[in-house]
Amino acid sequence: MKKFLVVVLLFLAGPAFADAVAVQTVKIIVERIAEISVRGNPEIYLNVAKDKESRAEGSYDITVNYNAQILANIDKKLPDGMSLFVSLQHPNGSFGPEVLLSENPRTVVSGISPVASKDNRINYRLVCEGIDNYKGEAAVSFTITDFN
């Protein structure tokens, strides 16, 4: 009977001597990543006596962790008769359609899934009609935005 009483007392006393519990709160932050950089120094030389258009290339790297698209625009209006087009290689390897650049941002690549991709090509095409002499430059901006 004594053994039975000791076993019952140990069984009932067990929860009173339970392990200590500590709780720690873990703060979790997942930031959006949207990075794009361009490389190269595209220059377009055009001899309008022989050709109406000429091309140049550059490249870009992109890292995003959400579904995104790339918009492009130039910093100023080009002279009448001069048109600058751009086409970007999608990180999946395909090329998007050629887009006429203006001061208003236009989509040049869409449907980009989370990716880190390097050495994607940028193709520029300049078309001139009725211009026989011009020297200048246009800054092309590429902006990553949400793609829904």
Side-chain angles (χ1 to χ4, degrees), residues 6 13-14 29 31 35 51-52 64 70 107:
V6 171
I29 301 170
E31 293 184 355
E35 297 176 352
D51 297 308
K52 297 281 187 211
V64 293
I70 301 173
T107 302

Side-chain angles (χ1 to χ4, degrees), residues 73-128:
N73 65 289
I74 53 178
D75 63 334
K76 61 184 172 187
K77 184 177 179 334
L78 295 175
D80 288 339
M82 184 179 289
S83 301
L84 182 60
F85 297 87
V86 68
S87 176
L88 273 69
Q89 183 180 22
H90 192 287
N92 70 13
S94 65
F95 271 87
E98 191 175 70
V99 174
L100 174 62
L101 290 170
S102 71
E103 295 171 289
N104 299 318
R106 298 201 44 211
T107 302
V108 291
V109 178
S110 61
I112 301 171
S113 298
V115 69
S117 180
K118 294 183 178 257
D119 300 321
N120 303 290
R121 291 185 14 214
I122 303 172
N123 293 329
Y124 295 100
R125 183 172 67 98
L126 178 71
V127 176
C128 288

Side-chain angles (χ1 to χ4, degrees), residues 40-75:
N41 298 304
E43 294 184 16
I44 299 176
Y45 294 97
L46 182 61
N47 179 347
V48 293
K50 295 183 351 184
D51 297 308
K52 297 281 187 211
E53 65 180 61
S54 187
R55 298 175 183 273
E57 288 188 357
S59 65
Y60 76 97
D61 301 336
I62 184 170
T63 302
V64 293
N65 65 351
Y66 61 95
N67 294 333
Q69 64 183 353
I70 301 173
L71 307 179
N73 65 289
I74 53 178
D75 63 334

